Amino acid sequence: DTEVTQTPKHLVMGMTNKKSLKCEQHMGHRAMYWYKQKAKKPPELMFVYSYEKLSINESVPSRFSPECPNSSLLNLHLHALQPEDSALYLCASRSGLAGGNEQFFGPGTRLTVL
Amino acid sequence: KQEVTQIPAALSVPEGENLVLNCSFTDSAIYNLQWFRQDPGKGLTSLLLIQSSQREQTSGRLNASLDKSSGRSTLYIAASQPGDSATYLCEDFGNEKLTFGTGTRLTIIP
C-alpha cells in the first residue's frame, strides 16, 4: 500500500471558522509533510514532522497549526484564515528524513476561504 | 538558498515525439532528485527517484539523469502519448531540505 489519503477533498470556510485537514498513511513512514500550492505554482513547504515531532516550520502564520497525534496521522488545524489562504493543501510522507527515499503525495484538499 | 528552474515553462508537441524536460539548480550540491507529474487539481505522482550516488534512472518510456557538476537534471520521455499531458516537477531533497522546481506544463497533441 503506497497510498496517502487526505480528507476532506474540498473545504469551504469563512474567516471566523475553525476546521481541520486530515492526512493518513499506513506505509510505516516516519516523516510527514504539509505543503501549500497556489494555482500554476509549485508546492511550498509548510511543515515537516519526523518521528511525530515538528522538524521544520517554514515561518507559517500561527493561524495554521499542525498536529501529529501518531505515526500514521497528520492534521492541520485552521483558524481565522484569510481569503489568500485559499489553495490546494498537499500532504506527503517519506520513510524518514535521512537517505534518498521516495516521497509519496496525497490527492490534496482544495480549500476556499470566503 | 537553492533555486530550481525548469525550462521550458510550457511545451506542446505532437503525439509520438520524443521530448526532454530540464531542471537547473543554482546550488550544484544536490542531494537526491525526484521527478513528479501533476494532473490539474490533483496531487503529485512520483515518476523517478535518483539518489545521491546515482546518475540515472529509467522506468518504461521515462529516463531521468542527473549531472551534479553542471547542476542539471533532464527527464526524457520517449514516444509521447496524450496521457502524458500534465505538469512535470522536479524536487531536490536532503535530510531537511526540499526545493521544488518551477514546473513544465506539457501538452501532447493527438
Side-chain angles (χ1 to χ4, degrees):
Chain A
D1 180 11
T2 57
E3 190 179 24
V4 177
T5 59
Q6 290 187 244
T7 54
K9 286 188 168 58
H10 301 275
L11 178 62
V12 179
M13 60 187 290
M15 290 190 284
T16 58
N17 292 157
K18 286 185 182 181
K19 296 286 184 183
S20 296
L21 309 184
K22 178 180 170 183
C23 172
E24 199 161 6
Q25 55 85 16
H26 296 285
M27 294 178 276
H29 288 175
R30 304 312 296 269
M32 296 185 75
Y33 305 75
W34 280 116
Y35 290 84
K36 172 183 176 181
Q37 187 178 29
K38 301 285 273 186
K40 299 190 191 306
K41 297 289 187 184
E44 299 172 25
L45 184 64
M46 299 175 72
F47 302 104
V48 180
Y49 272 81
S50 176
Y51 288 84
E52 296 93 72
K53 288 186 169 35
L54 185 62
S55 176
I56 297 176
N57 176 343
E58 290 285 0
S59 303
V60 178
S62 59
R63 58 185 183 269
F64 295 91
S65 175
E67 179 197 20
C68 191
N70 61 58
S71 60
S72 300
L73 192 54
L74 184 67
N75 298 320
L76 186 62
H77 303 297
L78 314 172
H79 173 56
L81 295 194
Q82 304 295 310
E84 60 265 28
D85 296 321
S86 298
L88 181 67
Y89 287 83
L90 294 164
C91 174
S93 72
R94 181 173 269 141
S95 60
L97 289 186
N101 37 77
E102 196 174 2
Q103 189 176 35
F104 294 90
F105 278 80
T109 293
R110 172 71 61 190
L111 174 68
T112 302
V113 182
L114 301 176
Chain B
K1 180 188 172 186
Q2 177 75 286
E3 292 183 5
V4 187
T5 303
Q6 291 186 241
I7 296 171
L11 179 64
S12 292
V13 301
E15 180 179 1
E17 283 199 3
N18 303 326
L19 57 101
V20 175
L21 307 181
N22 296 288
C23 222
S24 297
F25 306 87
T26 54
D27 182 353
S28 61
I30 302 156
Y31 290 90
N32 307 282
L33 185 77
Q34 193 166 359
W35 280 93
F36 296 88
R37 67 172 280 169
Q38 186 176 30
D39 294 291
K42 306 290 187 186
L44 278 68
T45 301
S46 176
L47 297 173
L48 289 165
L49 168 66
I50 305 177
Q51 296 179 327
S52 58
S53 59
Q54 299 172 328
R55 296 183 65 124
E56 191 174 7
Q57 282 291 332
T58 298
S59 176
R61 294 183 294 109
L62 306 180
N63 174 274
S65 64
L66 175 60
D67 182 348
K68 291 188 178 184
S69 62
S70 64
R72 292 169 61 95
S73 177
T74 59
L75 177 67
Y76 175 83
I77 302 177
S80 58
Q81 302 171 357
D84 295 331
S85 296
T87 295
Y88 289 78
L89 293 151
C90 60
E91 183 197 24
D92 167 28
F93 68 93
N95 284 2
E96 292 193 344
K97 181 187 107 160
L98 305 102
T99 307
F100 270 99
T102 47
T104 293
R105 192 165 62 254
L106 176 65
T107 303
I108 305 300
I109 305 163

